[in-house]
Every structure is written in structure tokens, then in C-alpha cells.
Amino acid sequence: MASSIHDLARHLNISIGTVSRALNGRADVNADTRQRVLEAARKLNYSPNQSGRSLRQGATRSIAFMLQPHPGDQQYGEPFFIPFLTGLQARLAEHDLDLMVVMGEPGQYQQERLRRVVETRRADAVVLANTRREDDRIEYLSKAGFPFATLGRSQSGGDTYPSLDIDFERAGDEAVDRLVARGHRRIAAIRPSLDLNFGYLFLDGYRKALKRHGIEVDPDLIADGFINETGGYQVTPQVMRSRNPPTAIIFNNDAMALGGCKALAEMGIKPGHDMAVIVIVDTPLCRYFSPTLTAFRPSLEPMGRRLAEMLLASLPAFAGPEGTRIIREVWPLELIARESD
Amino acid sequence: MASSIHDLARHLNISIGTVSRALNGRADVNADTRQRVLEAARKLNYSPNQSGRSLRQGATRSIAFMLQPHPGDQQYGEPFFIPFLTGLQARLAEHDLDLMVVMGEPGQYQQERLRRVVETRRADAVVLANTRREDDRIEYLSKAGFPFATLGRSQSGGDTYPSLDIDFERAGDEAVDRLVARGHRRIAAIRPSLDLNFGYLFLDGYRKALKRHGIEVDPDLIADGFINETGGYQVTPQVMRSRNPPTAIIFNNDAMALGGCKALAEMGIKPGHDMAVIVIVDTPLCRYFSPTLTAFRPSLEPMGRRLAEMLLASLPAFAGPEGTRIIREVWPLELIARESD
DNA sequence: CGTTTTTCCGTAAACGTTTACGAGAACACA
DNA sequence: TGTGTTCTCGTAAACGTTTACGGAAAAACG
């Protein structure tokens, strides 16, 4: 059915070696022969079989993206992976690379899926998302010497891999800045209780800004909860019950913010009126919630494209003549001012 | 680095044929030998190279999922693909199948990406989403004899492929039913202007229910627009300007509903108060919008799993001894009553 | 003990590529 | 004409599997 390089060779009465060289643009083939090969390839509708190619070259030309759902994640998952994936895939496709999506089992730090991809050599490299502060996937890939890049930083693995992250520290800082400028002194911070690295970065920025403004950090105003609506709903009252309740809350996650606002509403507190609310990562939900939520927005599709570039720059097979580079970048977020603060 | 079947053979002083047979559970290998092979495989950390396997067997053990963004789609894409993909991938993984994600170029009906996957044999089958009423991807795959399944029906390709769809017709019907029961007689329907098949199905249900209730279909109350917020925003005033404006609107898309509500608000009309609003496919946005939007909700993750099963049942390599079957299913939606109607 | 059957394993080909190597022909140069 | 160079191509091996085939040894059977 599908034509192979042998079919072309037989059809043209030349050897398969020449056909292959002609197709791959090698120099040692007569211009006329090459022309005939290309024509025949078009006529016979030839495309190289990727399995054969992979086997010979030891490279699959596909990149695995591993997405690890959080335990207890809500039905629709993290909305921002689609645009990120779009960018990632677009740039990879320009290099004729495929994107394989691997999802971990929710609820556990599973390496099994990852291990399978690596050991059966189904992909040439891996992109990790949802990086933990200490991430066993990173440890594993580092030790295995398998190329990878991450969306988000981690304390694991050192600086040996490319990573692209959002500047959560600066966002936490700016959020406090903005609230202080609007007269707030009692500012709460609510973040996920998971080991997710961004939760730590966010808190660093939050603390730094408070110090700069000479405001003492009150542990009662910092709380961790499940990274979903329920988490925000459960943990917000906790902060409100402190001896000296906050007048503003920064949520480190959109879903938690929605749950938190629900809790506030039930306590008769109106976000944007009686309580300032800022969300660190903007999603469409923030735009449509009532009140609309002030939030920091990342540019996801460009990030996807950029991380693809960074990964490729670290791979010997794709890096230019100037050699491989490990690039790490931290991108700023754009503040979208809305009604809630 | 990675050990091959040759390493095992050398290590055990037997032939590679025997090793392969032992690993694959073939009968013609001594129980004792098999034991030794399995142990050695574990010790040497052996996993079969997928490229070699694919080449020999003519099957890649990976399934491609093609997602085609709509022209002018908003930043975050369709939120429901992540849970669907989760289910799809989970079931495929149980059969040791990988999931490859292929995104078409937004704005065009591009077959190029698809063609590449098929012709270079990078996947054993394809899953299509965003099916059009007349879908050239389906035509192409049918003609090429390449196995595929679709999320959503189409008029293309006949009944030769498995498909799983949501019962948009019934949802349109039920929405009208519900509105009529609440006293409405002037009910508008707003759907995307694209060739997307669900838009037609929805309208069929809408018309059917109106007829059953003896209400004449008013063409002025049916409008098409871009499948995003802007589309809803632009087209809603159009319906409102009709000689006999509606008292209720059914939106066939969540983003269009949000845009529509914005337009209504600007006209001084309050959804859920002065105007009943129902949305056909529920997303988290519907739950957080103010007012919360009554909507029909699909169960996406189970659908993903089910479509994987249906696809596998149609593939000779995976169908059980009872042979391959083409399964087509249409799943009902669950009405989530909220404040907007 | 001779014959047949069964058990087990090695050999080798095949999947579709790429590529190192070498060889023949053409050409340049003296 | 002899030698060296360049151009072009064919040959064959290699990547890591699976599997058809055949054969030797062991077991079963009379």
C-alpha cells in the first residue's frame, strides 16, 4: 500500500542508497538523478516511514509532554494547558517533531508513565509541567541522562536543564505593592498546600514586599489549602477568624480564589467592596466572575513556543553550530486590573 | 547504554530468538529458560525499543488526537479538551498505547498535519474532534483507509467509523421544553456560524420542540455568529432588534453566551431577570458567571474513555475474538439548573 | 530397540531507513 | 599517457525487533 524507498528505487532502476541520498539532500548525487527521484516520490506519493527512520537514527522525532493532574483537581483541569500546548506543538512541528502527551495518574507522584516513555525510547525528550519544589521526575530524568525541560522551576536537578517559569515572586511582590498603595496593611496570602514550587516563590515575593513596607508578616494571614475551589472555600474562613482579620487577600490560584469568594460571600463579605482580592494567575474565570477579579496574566502560547526553542537549543541534534545551551528564563506577568481590589 | 535483546542473549548465552519468545510469552520456550530471561531482563533493566518493534510489526502503538482550533478562537481554547483527553489517554494507556496530539492550524481546514501523520505512519489510528458537518478530514481518512474515530458526528464518510457524540438535538429540545414550561413563547437560538455539526443538531432539536408546542419558528430569532465571545456580543442585539423580540435565548456555546449576556447588559436587559438564558454546553464559566448560567453538562472524562474503547473495538489488532465492530453512540447531557432562566 | 511425536532452541530473514565504504567513470593536470 | 582528483552511484551493514523454519534432543509409544 504505502510506497517505500525500495519501490522508488525499483521504479527508477537505481539503488535505494541513491534514492535515500537524493531525498535527504546529500551532495553526492547528480542533479538530474535527484530531480527524477523527487518526481517519482511525488508521483508514487512516497513518505518516509518514521519507524524505520527512528530505528536507524536512534531518534524518534517526538517530544513527550507530561502533565500531572493535581490530587482532587476539578473537572475541567487547568485551563491554561491548551494554549501552552498549542504554542509548544506549533514550534515543534516546525522542526518536524511530534508531541506526545503523557498524563500521570492523579493523586500520586507517579514516575511509571515517564519511565515507560524513557525506557522504551518513545520520545527524544520530555517536557514537564506542574513542577514540584522537590520533583522526583526531575531527579529521575537527570540521573537517567534523558533530555528534558520544565515549565516551572524546581529545587531538584540543579541548573542542568532548560526551564521556563512565570515570575511568581515578582507577582506576589507587586500584588502586595498594589494593595499597600491602596491603603491595606493586613494582607492575607492563600496558596496550595501541595509541594508545587510556585507556591513558595509566590510567598517569597509576598514576604519581601511586606518587609519593604515595614509590615510584619503575620503567620495567621498565611494559609495553605487544596488546590481547588474546595480548598479556597475551606481555608478562607480560617484566615478571617484570626484575631486581626485581613482587609485584602491574595490567592495564588484561580480556583482557590473562586472558592474563597464563595466563603466570603457566605460570611456577608463582598469581594471588591469589603475585601480586596487579587489572583496570581489569571484565567477566563477571573474575567467572568462577579466581581471580575484583578489578576496577573501570563502569555501562554508564546511561552509554549519559547520552551520548545529552549529545549531544542539544549539538544545536540538540534542546536546550531554554536553548540548546545541550557537556557533558563523567568517571564513577567501582566497585571489585569479589574473590580475585585 | 540501554540494553537490547542482544545484550540479554549474550548475557545468558542463548539466542536472541529465544529471548524474544520468552519475553513475549510464547509457548515454545522452556519454563526454566523463560524464568532466567525474565530475571536477566529485570537485572539489566531491559525494555524493548519501540522503534524496532514498530518497524517489525508495522504498528506504532500510538494514537493521534487531532484538535482543530476554530478560527478566531479565544485565548484559552476549548476548556473541555483536557478532561476528555485525560479519559482518552487513560484508557489507551491501559493497552500500552501512546497518545499523540496534533493541532491543525487555526483558521483553515488543514489536512496537512493529518496527512503527515498518516503517510509517515506515526500513528495507528486517529481521533478527530471538532467535526464539521462536511469534514474533509473524514473524507481523507476514509479514502485513505486509515482507521479513525470521531468525537462528534458528521455527514461525511457514512457510518464506517466509530463516533461518540453529545445529544445536541435532545438538549435543544429539552431547553425549549423547559422554557415553554416557564411560560416563554418567543425563544431565540444562537449558534456558531461555522460548519460545525453540532450547530445543526442543536437547531433540529430546537425546531422540533417548537413544533411540538405549536409555536411557529421565527427565522428572526435564529442567528449565527463567530464561535466566541465577540460572536455572541455581535449577534445578540440582532435578535433583539426583531419586530417581536424574544423573552428567552438558548446559546449553543458558552463563549457566545458570555458575549451575548454582555450585549444584553448594555441594553439594560438583565439575564435571569428580564431574559431567560440557557447554554447548551456547560463549562466552569457558566458556574461562575453572574448570574450563574443554566446549562447542559457532558461527562467528558468518561466520554474520553469510551471513545478509546470504541476505537479499539474497530481495530483488528485490538478487537477481541468476536471481531471488529463499528460502534456509534450519542450521550445525553445533564441539565444543571442555575439562576439564568 | 526403533519409530514417531513433542519440546525446545538456533538461524536467518524481514520491517524501512541511513550511511560508511569503495569502485568506476569522467575529468584535470603534468 | 600516466597520475591524481572529482563526481556519482552501488553494495552492504546496521538500527532492534519478531517470527517462519528447521533441526537436535528428549520424550512417548509400539
Side-chain angles (χ1 to χ4, degrees):
Chain A
M1 169 125 286
S3 58
S4 80
I5 215 171
H6 289 93
D7 298 328
L8 287 190
R10 206 174 316 123
H11 184 254
L12 294 169
N13 229 358
I14 59 180
S15 79
I16 59 163
T18 304
V19 174
S20 177
R21 282 191 298 266
L23 291 172
N24 290 345
R26 283 238 155 9
D28 56 347
V29 48
N30 185 287
D32 181 56
T33 324
R34 162 167 296 131
Q35 199 53 39
R36 282 170 44 227
V37 169
L38 292 179
E39 269 175 30
R42 208 152 27 81
K43 205 176 95 191
L44 299 191
N45 200 20
Y46 167 81
S47 312
N49 179 303
Q50 184 56 36
S51 300
R53 196 177 243 184
S54 298
L55 179 58
R56 167 66 214 223
Q57 300 189 322
T60 59
R61 293 203 81 85
S62 80
I63 306 294
F65 175 75
M66 184 171 184
L67 196 162
Q68 186 154 35
H70 304 137
D73 204 1
Q74 62 198 37
Q75 194 195 357
Y76 282 77
E78 312 248 0
F80 65 67
F81 281 123
I82 291 279
F84 175 80
L85 269 180
T86 305
L88 187 68
Q89 205 263 3
R91 186 57 41 104
L92 291 179
E94 291 172 10
H95 295 267
D96 197 37
L97 286 163
D98 287 313
L99 180 65
M100 178 185 302
V101 170
V102 180
M103 304 198 179
E105 301 284 327
Q108 309 167 46
Y109 283 23
Q110 286 228 20
Q111 301 185 14
E112 293 320 305
R113 292 279 173 76
L114 192 53
R115 178 166 253 127
R116 198 175 128 278
V117 170
V118 170
E119 292 183 352
T120 63
R121 274 131 289 169
R122 294 191 190 223
D124 298 336
V126 170
V127 174
L128 295 179
N130 288 333
T131 47
R132 263 72 180 200
R133 173 161 259 223
E134 310 208 339
D135 202 307
D136 56 355
R137 300 171 301 169
I138 293 179
E139 305 278 2
Y140 167 65
L141 291 171
S142 291
K143 261 173 205 135
F146 199 85
F148 68 101
T150 64
L151 175 62
R153 284 160 286 173
S154 166
Q155 292 194 336
S156 300
D159 282 350
T160 59
Y161 55 93
S163 77
L164 174 59
D165 202 359
I166 284 170
D167 199 342
F168 286 97
E169 190 175 346
R170 180 160 159 202
D173 189 318
E174 278 185 25
V176 169
D177 249 19
R178 177 175 168 95
L179 290 170
V180 168
R182 300 183 154 217
H184 297 276
R185 309 279 300 175
R186 307 273 316 152
I187 303 172
I190 293 183
R191 59 165 194 169
S193 56
L194 280 177
D195 186 38
L196 292 162
N197 199 35
F198 67 74
Y200 294 88
L201 298 169
F202 156 63
L203 220 53
D204 288 346
Y206 165 83
R207 285 211 187 90
K208 203 171 103 191
L210 284 184
K211 270 193 191 109
R212 195 173 56 245
H213 290 286
I215 303 175
E216 202 182 341
V217 175
D218 181 352
D220 286 353
L221 295 189
I222 300 178
D224 301 352
F226 288 131
I227 185 168
N228 55 27
E229 209 190 325
T230 312
Y233 183 76
Q234 290 171 338
V235 90
T236 302
Q238 197 172 305
V239 215
M240 295 306 295
R241 274 195 302 270
S242 81
R243 280 170 306 262
N244 200 349
T247 61
I249 306 182
I250 311 173
F251 288 94
N252 195 4
N253 175 267
D254 64 319
M256 295 184 78
L258 296 175
C261 287
K262 190 173 163 202
L264 289 175
E266 289 180 5
M267 300 167 74
I269 301 170
K270 221 176 132 198
H273 229 243
D274 321 317
M275 173 73 63
V277 166
I278 295 187
V279 183
I280 291 297
V281 180
D282 185 40
T283 65
L285 293 174
C286 299
R287 198 157 101 239
Y288 292 109
F289 190 73
S290 176
T292 56
L293 302 174
T294 294
F296 288 88
R297 182 168 65 191
S299 39
L300 296 168
E301 207 184 312
M303 285 178 69
R305 279 199 297 273
R306 182 61 183 146
L307 189 53
E309 288 166 5
M310 290 162 59
L311 175 62
L312 295 183
S314 77
L315 299 177
F318 291 95
E322 67 275 9
T324 67
R325 295 165 296 153
I326 302 295
I327 311 171
R328 317 198 109 206
E329 288 182 5
V330 177
W331 283 25
L333 289 159
E334 182 193 5
L335 176 70
I336 309 292
R338 298 206 184 90
E339 302 167 352
S340 66
D341 74 324
Chain B
M1 168 123 285
S3 58
S4 81
I5 217 171
H6 289 92
D7 299 327
L8 287 189
R10 208 174 315 123
H11 183 255
L12 293 169
N13 230 359
I14 59 181
S15 79
I16 59 163
T18 305
V19 174
S20 177
R21 281 191 299 265
L23 291 172
N24 290 346
R26 281 233 151 18
D28 56 346
V29 49
N30 185 286
D32 181 56
T33 326
R34 163 167 296 132
Q35 198 53 38
R36 283 170 44 227
V37 169
L38 292 179
E39 270 175 28
R42 208 151 27 79
K43 205 176 96 193
L44 299 191
N45 199 21
Y46 168 80
S47 311
N49 179 303
Q50 183 56 37
S51 299
R53 197 177 243 183
S54 297
L55 179 57
R56 167 66 214 223
Q57 299 189 324
T60 59
R61 295 202 80 84
S62 79
I63 306 293
F65 175 75
M66 184 172 184
L67 198 161
Q68 188 154 34
H70 303 136
D73 203 1
Q74 62 198 38
Q75 195 196 356
Y76 282 78
E78 312 247 359
F80 66 68
F81 281 123
I82 290 280
F84 175 81
L85 268 180
T86 305
L88 187 69
Q89 206 264 1
R91 186 56 41 104
L92 291 178
E94 291 173 11
H95 295 266
D96 197 38
L97 287 163
D98 288 313
L99 180 66
M100 177 185 302
V101 170
V102 180
M103 304 196 181
E105 300 283 329
Q108 309 168 45
Y109 282 24
Q110 286 229 18
Q111 299 185 15
E112 293 320 304
R113 291 279 172 77
L114 192 55
R115 177 166 254 128
R116 199 176 127 277
V117 170
V118 169
E119 292 183 351
T120 63
R121 275 131 289 170
R122 294 192 189 222
D124 298 336
V126 170
V127 175
L128 295 178
N130 290 333
T131 47
R132 262 73 179 199
R133 172 161 260 223
E134 310 209 336
D135 201 308
D136 54 357
R137 300 170 302 169
I138 294 179
E139 305 278 2
Y140 166 65
L141 290 172
S142 291
K143 263 175 203 134
F146 199 84
F148 67 102
T150 64
L151 174 62
R153 285 160 286 173
S154 166
Q155 291 195 337
S156 300
D159 282 351
T160 59
Y161 55 91
S163 76
L164 175 58
D165 202 358
I166 285 171
D167 198 342
F168 286 98
E169 189 174 348
R170 180 159 157 201
D173 190 318
E174 278 184 27
V176 169
D177 248 17
R178 178 175 167 94
L179 290 170
V180 169
R182 299 184 154 215
H184 297 276
R185 310 277 301 173
R186 306 277 313 155
I187 303 172
I190 294 183
R191 59 164 194 169
S193 55
L194 281 177
D195 187 36
L196 291 161
N197 199 35
F198 67 73
Y200 294 88
L201 298 169
F202 156 63
L203 220 53
D204 287 347
Y206 164 84
R207 287 212 187 87
K208 203 171 101 192
L210 284 184
K211 267 190 193 110
R212 194 173 55 244
H213 289 287
I215 303 175
E216 201 180 344
V217 175
D218 181 353
D220 285 353
L221 296 188
I222 300 177
D224 301 353
F226 288 132
I227 186 169
N228 55 27
E229 210 190 324
T230 312
Y233 182 76
Q234 291 171 337
V235 91
T236 301
Q238 197 173 306
V239 216
M240 295 305 295
R241 276 196 300 270
S242 83
R243 282 169 304 263
N244 202 348
T247 61
I249 306 181
I250 311 173
F251 288 94
N252 196 4
N253 175 267
D254 62 318
M256 296 183 78
L258 296 175
C261 287
K262 190 174 163 203
L264 290 176
E266 291 180 4
M267 300 167 75
I269 300 169
K270 222 176 132 196
H273 230 244
D274 320 319
M275 173 73 63
V277 167
I278 294 187
V279 183
I280 290 297
V281 180
D282 186 40
T283 65
L285 293 174
C286 298
R287 196 157 102 240
Y288 293 110
F289 191 74
S290 176
T292 58
L293 302 175
T294 294
F296 288 87
R297 181 167 65 191
S299 39
L300 297 167
E301 206 184 311
M303 285 177 68
R305 279 198 296 274
R306 183 59 183 146
L307 189 53
E309 287 166 5
M310 292 162 57
L311 175 61
L312 294 182
S314 77
L315 299 177
F318 291 94
E322 68 275 8
T324 67
R325 294 166 295 154
I326 302 296
I327 311 171
R328 317 198 109 206
E329 288 182 5
V330 176
W331 284 26
L333 289 159
E334 180 193 7
L335 177 70
I336 311 291
R338 297 206 185 91
E339 301 168 352
S340 66
D341 74 327

